[in-house]
Amino acid sequence: MKVTVVGAGAVGASCAEYIAMKDFCSEVVLVDIKEGFAEGKAMDLMQTASLNGFDTKITGTTGDYSKTAGSHVAVITSGIPRKPGMTREELIGINAGIVKEVTENLVKNSPEVIIIVVSNPMDTMTYLVHKTSGLPKHKIIGMGGALDSARFKYRLAEALEAPISDVDGMVIAAHSDTGMLPLLSKATRNGVPVTEFLDEAKQKYVIEETKVGGATLTKLLGTSAWYAPGAAVSVMVQAIACDQKKMIPCSLMLDGEYGESDICLGVPAIIGKNGVESIVNISLTEEEKAKFAEAAQAVREVNGDLKF
Ligand code: NAI
């Protein structure tokens, strides 16, 4: 299994590192536009192989896409990240041009590739890849829900004063501070609804902190986060590489599911060797349905700024 990661910056390098450490791929190719950067990151990571005990071969290239030929999966992290105070939506102009060009290069060299989109605003960038790549829709997956759900579980465990492995929860809808929908009604602690343990103030705290999870880190770090985003991507790549048929919330092109069409939004899906094996329909409360529709409307407006 060969995986390409475009963008050898914070998220791309972290994702390559987690993939290599789990040792389920034969090769990871890092691509960046900055001269020598991907080669340097690849060499540095390869020098951890004997220390960390993996055999995955990591190589880097400055924009030579022939080196990515035959990739099964490609991850697009190229683009600019948020600075403190910025919304993900403000990145659209620059990142759309980058994502479109990168997609063309990837598909030209690996016509069978499955693409995972990370660059922000992610739901809109995923939509752009659908509209420009010519790939079937099961091969285009946006990464947002996996990360946001991990942040939700972190906040749930904190509020419950419980180990993270005891809690379960999922975030769907948009990957944005306002459009994210943490499904508190379905979150559990060892199978028991968390609403039985958390009072209203704590429930509100968990939801609000989850929604601004990315912004909180951007404020602390001066740029957006990389460890959890990289780990989230690696889980998705592993689900494909190992045909795990794992349920992961991802941004997918909807065709009537959850009442929406011609839009990419976060929904639970089974991820396996074909990419998206199926979309899972979970029942939402009336309030959750309304919030999902509201998030869709906001993403549609951002999509309107795209020029193909
Ligand atoms: P970064 O600035 O550390 O890395 C981006 C890399 O992309 C840079 O090394 C840059 O040289 C490279 N690049 C730019 N144009 C390129 C091109 N045309 N071809 C190849 N490489 C190119 O940024 P970071 O922190 O890694 O974030 C990357 C993107 O991922 C941002 O848009 C950020 O907002 C997004 N992000 C998305 C998350 C999600 O949950 N979907 C989570 C975290 C970040």
Side-chain angles (χ1 to χ4, degrees), residues 103 107 129-136 140:
T103 301
V107 175
V129 174
H130 274 280
K131 293 292 175 187
T132 58
S133 67
L135 290 173
I140 303 165

Side-chain angles (χ1 to χ4, degrees), residues 230-249:
V233 175
S234 76
V235 165
M236 292 167 69
V237 175
Q238 188 171 18
I240 298 167
C242 304
D243 193 23
Q244 287 176 327
K245 300 196 167 60
K246 190 178 170 78
M247 188 160 93
I248 303 174

Side-chain angles (χ1 to χ4, degrees), residues 6-12 31-34 37 65 77-82 91 95 98 101-102 118-120 122 143-144 147 175 224-225 229:
V6 185
V11 177
V31 184
D32 206 281
I33 200 169
K34 237 187 285 172
F37 193 60
Y65 279 84
T77 77
S78 46
I80 52 163
R82 284 199 283 179
L91 304 174
N95 286 357
I98 294 173
E101 179 211 311
V102 165
V118 180
S119 309
N120 274 316
M122 183 278 296
M143 191 291 282
L147 170 65
H175 180 60
S224 63

Side-chain angles (χ1 to χ4, degrees), residues 4-6 31 65 68-71 73-76 99-116 135:
T4 288
V5 179
V6 185
V31 184
Y65 279 84
T68 70
S71 291
V73 181
V75 182
I76 303 181
V99 168
K100 188 162 177 271
E101 179 211 311
V102 165
T103 301
E104 281 163 12
N105 285 322
L106 287 170
V107 175
K108 195 155 69 182
N109 288 276
S110 306
E112 302 299 324
V113 73
I114 294 171
I115 293 184
I116 298 177
L135 290 173

Side-chain angles (χ1 to χ4, degrees), residues 84-201:
M86 270 176 104
T87 65
R88 294 177 177 94
E89 289 71 21
E90 286 173 87
L91 304 174
I92 189 169
I94 297 172
N95 286 357
I98 294 173
V99 168
K100 188 162 177 271
E101 179 211 311
V102 165
T103 301
E104 281 163 12
N105 285 322
L106 287 170
V107 175
K108 195 155 69 182
N109 288 276
S110 306
E112 302 299 324
V113 73
I114 294 171
I115 293 184
I116 298 177
V117 184
V118 180
S119 309
N120 274 316
M122 183 278 296
D123 296 298
T124 295
M125 293 301 115
T126 307
Y127 183 77
L128 175 67
V129 174
H130 274 280
K131 293 292 175 187
T132 58
S133 67
L135 290 173
K137 67 178 196 167
H138 63 91
K139 290 194 164 192
I140 303 165
I141 313 173
M143 191 291 282
L147 170 65
D148 299 332
S149 300
R151 287 178 172 159
F152 185 34
K153 286 180 240 186
Y154 165 78
R155 289 299 181 188
L156 281 169
E158 179 193 36
L160 290 160
E161 296 180 42
I164 289 194
S165 56
D166 277 6
V167 301
D168 204 5
M170 190 192 288
V171 175
I172 61 167
H175 180 60
S176 71
D177 299 358
T178 49
M180 220 177 270
L181 179 51
L183 294 175
L184 198 74
S185 68
K186 294 186 176 48
T188 55
R189 176 186 186 176
N190 289 326
V192 180
V194 296
T195 45
E196 292 191 16
F197 303 106
L198 299 175
D199 60 23
E200 227 169 84

Side-chain angles (χ1 to χ4, degrees), residues 49-90:
S50 63
L51 299 163
N52 287 328
F54 63 79
D55 291 318
T56 309
K57 182 179 160 201
I58 309 168
T59 57
T61 169
T62 307
D64 178 1
Y65 279 84
S66 68
K67 304 255 173 70
T68 70
S71 291
H72 298 88
V73 181
V75 182
I76 303 181
T77 77
S78 46
I80 52 163
R82 284 199 283 179
K83 295 276 171 254
M86 270 176 104
T87 65
R88 294 177 177 94
E89 289 71 21
E90 286 173 87

